[in-house]
């Protein structure tokens, strides 16, 4: 293998990566992984305190990181955050959107308020984050990479739970990213989705702590376990690296084989 082969294929030296939701369980793993690959990291999220805490940790470890607080439900704030980042670093190369949420309600009980919250938090915010990043990626003249965090619920429903709004939002995210990939291909912007099954994070800890639910869940997954945050990072790292330059408009199911058997 030639010297520098892995760095050429997977290195991100000099790239600027914006990670909305960057201080969550998956987001933090993504920030650390992309930083280790050489990227300059923008830790973005609602809490200024948490964005600064992780950025300070990354800077202290010898990486370059910048905190950016914004509300993903507020379109002007999304645009202002991206403009701030582009002004600070002079460019935006990578977007890894780790924002996502659920308000579980059975279909007969779904409220308009919670439906709108789930759709905004998973789909509407993704569109406008993608748009705001793409404007700077296009302006830079060299394109870039975008990865959005989907879910196995992009393709599969979940029995016994109230996931109608969440499945609709994540399903919409997948086809929306295909359309963005098609529209921006001429601008050299690759848009893909990483869609994991349950990941061991604080957000779903209450569900995973139920022994019956966990046993039934892992029994349906051929590899017999759920995903870890670092595994989502590894998939995202591949999709934002040079090694994935000919991949766009795809949804990568990080699911231990569940979609291959259901």
């Amino acid at each position: 293998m030639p010297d520098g082969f892995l760095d050429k294929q997977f290195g991100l030296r000099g790239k600027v990566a914006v990670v909305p939701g960057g201080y969550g369980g998956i987001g933090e793993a993504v920030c650390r992984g992309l930083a280790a690959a050489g990227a300059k990291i923008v830790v973005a999220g609602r809490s200024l305190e948490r964005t600064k805490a992780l950025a300070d940790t990354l800077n202290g470890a010898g990486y370059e990181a910048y905190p950016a607080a914004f509300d993903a439900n507020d379109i002007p704030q999304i645009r202002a955050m991206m403009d701030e980042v582009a002004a600070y670093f002079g460019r935006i190369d990578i977007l890894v959107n780790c924002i996502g949420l659920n308000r579980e309600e059975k279909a007969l009980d779904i409220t308009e308020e919670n439906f709108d919250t789930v759709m905004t938090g998973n789909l509407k915010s993704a569109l406008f984050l993608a748009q705001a990043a793409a404007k700077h990626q296009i302006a830079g003249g060299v394109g870039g990479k975008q990865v959005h965090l989907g879910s196995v619920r992009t393709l599969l429903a979940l029995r016994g739970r109230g996931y109608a709004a969440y499945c609709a939002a994540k399903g919409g995210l997948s086809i929306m990213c295909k359309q963005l990939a098609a529209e921006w291909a001429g601008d050299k912007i690759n848009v893909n989705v990483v869609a994991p099954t349950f990941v061991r994070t604080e957000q779903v800890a209450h569900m995973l702590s139920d022994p019956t639910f966990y046993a039934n869940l892992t029994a349906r997954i051929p590899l017999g376990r759920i995903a870890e945050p670092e595994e989502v990072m590894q998939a995202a790292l591949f999709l934002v690296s040079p090694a994935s330059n000919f991949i766009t408009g795809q949804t990568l199911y990080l699911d231990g084989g569940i979609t291959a058997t259901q």
Side-chain angles (χ1 to χ4, degrees):
M1 186 175 295
D3 289 343
F5 175 81
L6 290 179
D7 187 60
K8 182 178 179 181
Q9 295 300 316
F10 297 100
L12 302 177
R13 194 171 309 282
K15 302 293 186 181
V16 175
V18 182
V19 187
Y23 51 69
I26 294 173
E28 180 173 345
V30 168
C31 287
R32 291 180 180 276
L34 270 59
K40 302 173 184 179
I41 303 299
V42 179
V43 184
R46 187 189 299 268
S47 168
L48 178 60
E49 180 180 358
R50 294 184 69 182
T51 61
K52 289 181 67 176
L54 181 54
D56 287 346
T57 298
L58 292 172
N59 286 324
Y63 304 120
E64 185 171 353
Y66 178 83
F70 79 110
D71 183 351
N73 295 324
D74 188 311
I75 308 307
Q77 286 196 38
I78 288 175
R79 292 169 175 161
M81 182 272 289
M82 290 291 183
D83 290 346
E84 174 189 341
V85 169
Y88 183 84
F89 284 109
R91 60 191 296 167
I92 294 175
D93 301 288
I94 294 166
L95 170 68
V96 182
N97 172 26
C98 297
I99 291 176
L101 57 85
N102 192 16
R103 297 290 183 269
E104 186 175 342
E105 289 179 325
K106 295 297 180 66
L108 290 177
D109 302 318
I110 294 173
T111 63
E112 182 178 6
E113 178 183 5
N114 280 339
F115 182 84
D116 289 346
T117 296
V118 173
M119 294 300 286
T120 297
N122 294 284
L123 185 59
K124 182 179 178 180
S125 61
L127 173 61
F128 287 99
L129 283 163
Q131 179 195 72
K135 288 182 177 180
H136 289 288
Q137 290 172 326
I138 292 169
V142 295
K145 300 289 183 70
Q146 295 192 8
V147 174
H148 297 268
L149 189 64
S151 166
V152 74
R153 304 304 146 208
T154 297
L155 185 65
L156 297 176
L158 183 62
R159 294 182 64 185
R161 312 293 302 204
Y163 268 47
Y166 187 76
C167 289
K170 291 302 190 184
L173 179 67
S174 180
I175 191 63
M176 183 184 79
C177 287
K178 288 181 182 292
Q179 180 63 29
L180 298 182
E183 290 194 33
W184 296 337
D187 298 300
K188 300 179 182 178
I189 298 175
N190 300 56
V191 185
N192 292 292
V193 176
V194 172
T197 183
F198 278 85
V199 182
R200 197 179 306 280
T201 65
E202 183 179 342
Q203 186 174 353
V204 294
H206 66 289
M207 298 172 69
L208 300 180
S209 65
D210 179 340
T212 301
F213 177 84
Y214 187 80
N216 290 336
L217 171 65
T218 54
R220 297 196 305 271
I221 300 173
L223 290 183
R225 63 178 179 85
I226 62 172
E228 300 295 334
E230 290 73 19
E231 292 173 312
V232 183
M233 176 275 291
Q234 290 160 3
L237 176 59
F238 167 65
L239 288 173
V240 302
S241 72
S244 69
N245 282 350
F246 202 55
I247 300 173
T248 195
Q250 302 303 306
T251 297
L252 173 60
Y253 289 98
L254 189 76
D255 64 1
I258 191 170
T259 58
T261 57
Q262 293 190 32

